[in-house]
Amino acid sequence: MASLDISKAFDRVHQFKLYNSLLSAGIPIMIIDVLCNWYSKLCFAVRWNNVISEAFVVGSGVRQGSCLSPAIFNVFMNVFILQLKTLNVGCHVSGMFVGCLLYTDDIILISPLIIGLQEMLDKCYEISDTFSLQFNVRKCHCLVVGKMSRVKISPMRLGGEEIQWCDHIKYIGVYLACSKTIKFDVNPLKRSFYAACNALFSHSERISEIPLLNLQ
């Protein structure tokens, strides 16, 4: 499997291509017109050393923090699943394609064969180039689950750059470990928990045990 990271995905979305994706997905034209009108009136400014620039309009990106943005962004990103499905590679369960797990900009590709995984990576790069997106290869990793977990495999490639194989990958807060069977690595979560507890203890000299326990 391969875990892919899109660099600043929410900021790079081309709005015109976003509207086309929503239209292709069957979203009513009236809703798309409202979005077009809404986004055309959004203005931005740059602050530098307490000086704010004049407002300007940006033709890319979706609103950060908006509850609507993940939903419309998922429709935009659905093109990855649709086009990967046409390759007829990757994992299938009972004839259903499950070779691409996707939520917002977090993507995992799953394939029983290395050659199939490389085809999927090539297709993802092709799609990203078409939709003006860019993968952060330094945050992309590959992982093996199964009999080949201890075999040394050459790096995969994404747009001419290498993706290294690693011992675990993170997907939406869950760490998958390289093993003969599917295993989850809880050690990173434990380290985060211990660090948070130590931070509490270092600032809790005058706090009684019950409030400290509630905080913990």
Side-chain angles (χ1 to χ4, degrees), residues 66-156:
S66 169
C67 60
L68 181 62
S69 294
I72 60 177
F73 186 78
N74 280 341
V75 176
F76 176 75
M77 292 291 291
N78 194 50
V79 66
F80 282 91
I81 296 177
L82 296 177
Q83 294 199 27
L84 287 171
K85 188 177 180 180
T86 62
L87 294 177
N88 201 28
V89 296
C91 281
H92 291 75
V93 176
S94 300
M96 182 175 64
F97 176 67
V98 292
C100 178
L101 305 180
L102 187 151
Y103 181 74
T104 60
D105 59 340
D106 293 311
I107 304 174
I108 281 192
L109 306 178
I110 310 173
S111 173
L113 299 175
I114 294 176
I115 188 171
L117 183 61
Q118 185 59 62
E119 287 185 42
M120 297 171 77
L121 288 170
D122 293 339
K123 175 58 72 173
C124 284
Y125 181 78
E126 178 185 327
I127 298 169
S128 67
D129 189 54
T130 302
F131 285 85
S132 305
L133 299 173
Q134 184 177 348
F135 286 106
N136 186 350
V137 179
R138 290 179 297 176
K139 293 185 178 180
C140 298
H141 304 284
C142 291
L143 180 80
V144 179
V145 175
K147 297 179 180 179
M148 298 285 289
S149 59
R150 298 304 175 190
V151 177
K152 186 175 182 180
I153 305 173
S154 300
M156 308 300 288

Side-chain angles (χ1 to χ4, degrees), residues 2 6 14-15 19 21 30 49 53 55 63-64 75 111 113 127 132 141 144 146 148 158 169-170 173 177:
I6 300 176
H14 194 286
Q15 291 176 0
Y19 304 145
S21 298
M30 293 180 63
N49 289 335
S53 70
R63 291 194 64 179
Q64 297 284 346
V75 176
S111 173
L113 299 175
I127 298 169
S132 305
H141 304 284
V144 179
M148 298 285 289
L158 181 64
I169 59 177
K170 181 182 179 182

